[in-house]
Amino acid sequence: MNPVADLHLRYATRLTAFVTARLGRDHYQLAAEVTRRVWSDVRSSPNLPSADDPEAFNRLAQVARKTIARHHLSVRTRHERPVNRPAPMVTTTRLGVAA
């Protein structure tokens, strides 16, 4: 069988849960899309772990963290503040930052 298919059979549910938990409450609806990107990155990886490797999920999680970081970066750059709108003023209090 295909090594990626073996990994998918063994770790698909766990990887989806991992991605969903790390996307946060604002982006968890995109977990399926981000997980598809993770599997795409795994497919194109030159050093693919075997499904029997005890470190296989850790390597999948490492790819997932990078994919999630790219997702958050792309969302942040798409939603940047308009140029003509000033940033909100933030005051600092003795206990921390107040809005």
Side-chain angles (χ1 to χ4, degrees), residues 4 7-9 11-12 15-16 34-44 60 63:
V4 176
L7 287 168
H8 193 272
L9 281 172
Y11 297 112
L15 187 64
T16 301
V34 174
T35 304
R36 278 192 295 276
R37 282 191 240 146
V38 171
W39 286 114
S40 175
D41 291 347
V42 167
R43 267 187 227 98
S44 63
L60 292 174
V63 173

Side-chain angles (χ1 to χ4, degrees), residues 34-91:
V34 174
T35 304
R36 278 192 295 276
R37 282 191 240 146
V38 171
W39 286 114
S40 175
D41 291 347
V42 167
R43 267 187 227 98
S44 63
S45 175
N47 50 354
L48 194 62
S50 102
D52 297 334
D53 182 4
E55 294 294 315
F57 185 77
N58 292 338
R59 292 183 57 197
L60 292 174
Q62 182 179 18
V63 173
R65 284 186 205 97
K66 291 178 183 178
T67 305
I68 291 166
R70 280 195 314 266
H71 165 75
H72 284 304
L73 183 62
S74 72
V75 168
R76 188 178 324 138
T77 57
R78 275 186 272 154
H79 294 101
E80 286 188 2
R81 184 175 308 285
V83 177
N84 57 358
R85 178 187 275 177
M89 296 295 291
V90 177
T91 59

